[in-house]
Amino acid sequence: MSTPYGLAIRLEDARRAAAAAIAEARRNGWTMAVAVTDTGGALVYFERMDETQIGSSAIAADKARSAALFKRPTKAFQDVLAGGGEGMRVLGLAGAVPVEGGVPLLSGGRIVGAIGVSGGLSSQDGQCARAGSEALSEA
């Protein structure tokens, strides 16, 4: 059974998740763009650290949208694609981003939105996105 959607994330919670992702990036000396979307993939909050590559802005939003719409981390698509064969079908899914760094955001056991992070290696993006997700679930 998949996790149900809840009410859309509130701005205050979106800021909290983004702040935790940015803090994780700073601790590691990385520069990142962070986007938080609601359950429908609409942008709620965005922040780009100084010196982050410009292209990461759109990628962060795409990762968050993908995680919200498909109810799963974007790493799941990356892993399926890396397996080849039938996994290549993921390339035909409109809006599915097969790169780590997008994670659904949960509150009360329901998906309230998603966070997307871009600017480093995909594993670094994922680490920061998970930090944002954990900050929201701990609140």
Side-chain angles (χ1 to χ4, degrees):
M1 182 165 151
S2 70
T3 305
Y5 288 112
L7 297 175
I9 192 168
R10 297 169 27 110
L11 179 59
E12 176 182 323
D13 292 333
R15 285 182 178 147
R16 182 181 311 115
I22 294 287
E24 182 68 17
R26 282 196 177 109
R27 268 192 294 281
N28 289 284
W30 304 326
T31 58
M32 300 285 182
V34 179
V36 178
T37 65
D38 63 15
T39 53
L43 189 63
V44 174
Y45 185 80
F46 174 80
E47 187 170 346
R48 187 182 79 227
M49 298 171 69
D50 293 340
E51 305 303 321
T52 302
Q53 60 190 6
I54 302 301
S56 289
S57 298
I59 294 168
D62 289 345
K63 287 179 179 182
R65 188 174 304 107
S66 179
L69 296 178
F70 290 98
K71 295 180 160 185
R72 64 190 44 120
T74 56
K75 185 174 186 326
F77 294 121
Q78 176 179 299
D79 292 346
V80 168
L81 186 61
E86 290 186 8
M88 299 297 285
R89 293 184 294 183
V90 76
L91 295 174
L93 297 176
V97 176
V99 181
E100 186 175 359
V103 178
L105 295 173
L106 302 174
S107 179
R110 294 181 175 270
I111 297 171
V112 296
I115 187 168
V117 180
S118 180
L121 301 173
S122 63
S123 59
Q124 295 168 341
D125 296 349
Q127 181 176 330
C128 293
R130 286 187 300 277
S133 175
E134 289 165 7
L136 186 60
S137 65
E138 293 169 356

